[in-house]
Amino acid sequence: MTHVDVLIVGAGVSGIGFAHHLRERFPGQSFVILDAQDNRGGTWWTHRYPGVRSDSDLFTYGYRFKPWRGPAIAAGGEILSYLDEVIAEDDLAGHIRYHHQVTAASWSTADRRWTVEVTRVDTGERLRYTASFLMMCQGYYNHANPYKPKWEGMDRFQGVIVHPQQWPEDLDLTGKHVIVIGSGATAATLIPAIAGKAEHVTMLQRSPSYYFAPPVTDELAEQLRALDIPEEWTHEILRRKFMAQTTMLARMSAESPDELHAFLVESVRPLLPEGFDVEKHLTPHYRPWQQRIAIVPDGDLFAALREGSASIVTDTIETFTEHGIRVSSGAEIPADIVVSATGFNMSLFGDVAFAVDGEPVDFTGRVTWRGIMISGVPNMAYIFGYFRHSWTLRVDLVSDLLIRLMANMADKGATMVAPALRPEDKDMPLLPFADPENFNSGYVMRSQHLLFRRGDREPWTHLLELEQEQEILPKADLDDGTLVYR
């Protein structure tokens, strides 16, 4: 058994970022980072399909404390290298334990500590850690079980069916006809990366998605880097630029969605082949940013369409055949390889079994506190990023608040803190995790019944926008009666 002050679950962007803030503010605190994978990076380590890249700019996806020096949109390997630099600079490598899968976490009020059960996935060994504070930074992907719909006839298809999350290293695309099912960020990333290798790639979508095609090289970034100014200044200027740009688009999605819809659709029209049916293939039927907007750097997806190496079919699947997919219109699309870019399944806190004082925790009956802690669960916090802005912007903001919370506990001499509903909150309706009118991507809607709830008032809400939380979180009153210290 190993005891630490803080146990961090997840060695991805969230876990590494929080570890930096913890070391900076409380250098004497002992901590360890556990990760079930065999290396760092989370999504950037497990997602190895061709072309994998960020779908938000790296000036904001990079940490506040670590300037990003590359292009605005970066490949997965570049992001891993950036994380490696943070690990080296903060001397975190000795604190990370790979192959360590957390299976259960039990809180004891009498002992004021978490007992965490761990399985070594490489050896099968069972381990136990105890911790005074538990940080869940595992993200929301179920890395082992991506979303794989079942279609009629899949068993008779004579080709290969793959999911991007489980991309085979030896998959040969040369001369092959490939169908990519889906139209989101994964499909938009994958198709231009493989279009030059395969004989032809067809994007088969049930309905269109929104796309935004910024340049790979940011003009302001190039101008600033040509000047003899500190790198930190360049980084901060670019962060503010991209934050403002995304904030403007997010505001438009709520206040003038028709205008934003027209902007997004019309901005890609000049990049398409002559005569392309924009209405059918690239005009979504939902409000902008109810689902993520897919980033297409330099319009590379549309370049593949112009060159004829890729095409789009908008239809529903009737059945797989021996040599392809027949859609509802009756047409059969030939395929040697089908890629199911159909999204992922969410995993609530890594599917860890939680208990408090011997009682199993049913998160579906509990409510979030500012999207950071859960009612009635002591000394446990989590990091969940933004849907519209870069995930990492919230890593920094949440870390700031939690460091302030830990300092507040120390000042009070408290060894335990848990959110609790005030008398005026007792009859508060517990709403679903996400409001479909705000955000309704398939992976969220499929998981609503498994997730914790939100309230209809502060501080029991979450999924706010960056501009709101930049004001709310730094000023959040940690002694307003919604946190109980003991």
Side-chain angles (χ1 to χ4, degrees):
M1 184 182 296
T2 301
H3 180 78
V4 290
D5 294 316
V6 181
L7 180 62
I8 302 170
V9 180
V13 169
S14 300
I16 292 170
F18 180 75
H20 165 88
H21 290 285
L22 183 67
R23 292 208 75 169
E24 183 177 63
R25 180 62 177 82
F26 297 119
Q29 291 263 21
S30 61
F31 69 96
V32 69
I33 306 173
L34 305 182
D35 199 294
Q37 303 299 322
D38 59 354
N39 216 317
R40 79 291 180 234
T43 297
W44 302 112
W45 179 247
T46 60
H47 288 201
R48 304 179 190 182
Y49 58 85
V52 61
R53 65 192 177 199
S54 63
D55 62 351
S56 57
D57 73 275
L58 263 295
F59 300 111
T60 57
Y61 192 85
Y63 300 114
R64 178 183 66 204
F65 57 84
K66 170 75 174 170
W68 173 257
R69 295 177 174 83
I73 302 297
E78 295 174 286
I79 297 171
L80 285 174
S81 296
Y82 173 84
L83 293 176
D84 285 338
E85 291 180 16
V86 177
I87 290 172
E89 291 166 7
D90 285 340
D91 194 24
L92 298 179
H95 295 266
I96 303 176
R97 309 285 183 267
Y98 297 116
H99 301 289
H100 282 55
Q101 182 169 15
V102 176
T103 58
S106 179
W107 168 261
S108 168
T109 297
D111 297 331
R112 294 294 203 271
R113 64 176 51 181
W114 285 97
T115 298
V116 176
E117 306 295 337
V118 176
T119 298
R120 283 285 302 258
V121 296
D122 54 341
T123 66
E125 182 183 5
R126 300 293 180 85
L127 305 173
R128 179 173 289 168
Y129 285 79
T130 62
S132 301
F133 202 96
L134 183 60
M135 270 301 304
M136 301 302 295
C137 298
Q138 77 298 318
Y140 58 40
Y141 284 115
N142 186 324
H143 292 289
N145 298 298
Y147 178 57
K148 296 180 178 179
K150 300 296 182 183
W151 289 285
E152 178 72 28
M154 291 178 72
D155 56 340
R156 67 170 177 261
F157 178 60
Q158 296 181 10
V160 177
I161 301 175
V162 300
H163 192 284
Q165 238 176 278
Q166 299 170 331
W167 192 270
E169 292 184 9
D170 59 351
L171 184 63
D172 184 9
L173 300 169
T174 307
K176 303 292 175 56
H177 286 85
V178 181
I179 296 176
V180 178
I181 303 174
S183 61
T186 300
T189 297
L190 177 64
I191 290 171
I194 66 175
K197 302 172 184 177
E199 177 69 22
H200 187 79
V201 183
T202 302
M203 174 194 281
L204 175 55
Q205 61 176 12
R206 183 173 52 188
S207 58
S209 297
Y210 286 105
Y211 299 101
F212 183 53
V216 170
T217 302
D218 184 76
E219 183 177 351
L220 178 59
E222 293 300 302
Q223 292 173 346
L224 291 171
R225 285 168 176 163
L227 301 173
D228 187 21
I229 61 175
E231 185 71 35
E232 291 75 12
W233 293 13
T234 297
H235 181 64
E236 185 60 26
I237 291 169
L238 293 170
R239 277 172 69 82
R240 294 190 184 195
K241 171 201 165 179
F242 279 97
M243 282 191 284
Q245 175 179 288
T246 308
T247 294
M248 177 190 70
L249 292 174
R251 192 179 297 150
M252 285 182 67
S253 74
E255 297 176 359
S256 50
D258 292 343
E259 183 180 344
L260 180 58
H261 169 92
F263 166 75
L264 292 170
V265 172
E266 293 305 316
S267 67
V268 302
R269 193 183 294 273
L271 307 177
L272 297 165
E274 186 175 353
F276 188 86
D277 192 339
V278 176
E279 179 64 31
K280 180 177 182 179
H281 300 306
L282 290 174
T283 304
H285 305 298
Y286 56 89
R287 179 171 54 80
W289 243 330
Q290 282 184 294
Q291 300 177 23
R292 283 193 72 100
I293 296 172
I295 301 298
V296 184
D298 281 342
D300 55 6
L301 171 63
F302 309 123
L305 297 177
R306 292 196 306 272
E307 294 162 2
S309 56
S311 58
I312 298 178
V313 172
T314 303
D315 208 333
T316 55
I317 295 173
E318 181 179 298
T319 184
F320 276 62
T321 66
E322 288 81 355
H323 303 291
I325 294 177
R326 186 165 66 243
V327 293
S328 298
S329 66
E332 182 172 342
I333 309 168
D336 305 296
I337 299 170
V338 173
V339 181
S340 179
T342 46
F344 56 89
N345 289 315
M346 289 185 71
S347 174
L348 176 61
F349 302 139
D351 294 325
V352 172
F354 279 82
V356 172
D357 292 329
E359 292 294 324
V361 176
D362 177 6
F363 285 101
T364 63
R366 301 191 182 240
V367 61
T368 184
W369 181 85
R370 301 192 183 280
I372 299 172
M373 299 180 76
I374 300 293
S375 61
V377 182
N379 289 28
M380 189 276 272
Y382 65 95
I383 293 182
F384 192 101
Y386 293 112
F387 281 129
R388 298 185 176 100
H389 283 82
S390 291
W391 179 279
T392 322
L393 288 169
R394 197 162 195 271
V395 173
D396 286 327
L397 276 173
V398 169
S399 296
D400 288 344
L401 186 144
L402 289 174
I403 294 300
R404 191 157 62 89
L405 175 62
M406 291 177 177
N408 198 35
M409 291 177 69
D411 290 344
K412 295 177 182 296
T415 54
M416 173 178 169
V417 62
L421 298 181
R422 298 163 296 191
E424 60 266 32
D425 301 324
K426 294 295 185 181
D427 295 327
M428 177 179 66
L430 297 187
L431 305 173
F433 176 88
D435 176 2
E437 287 300 311
N438 177 38
F439 195 83
N440 61 16
S441 284
Y443 58 91
V444 175
M445 295 298 103
R446 287 194 300 270
S447 304
Q448 292 265 53
H449 65 292
L450 302 173
L451 303 174
F452 51 82
R453 306 300 186 90
R454 60 189 167 90
D456 63 356
R457 68 200 68 166
E458 291 295 327
W460 311 110
T461 62
H462 67 164
L463 305 184
L464 303 180
E465 299 295 348
L466 172 67
E467 65 175 335
Q468 296 171 292
E469 293 206 314
Q470 281 179 315
E471 293 294 320
I472 293 172
L473 294 188
K475 300 175 183 176
D477 184 357
L478 303 182
D479 294 304
D480 64 354
T482 61
L483 294 175
V484 177
Y485 299 87
R486 293 170 62 182

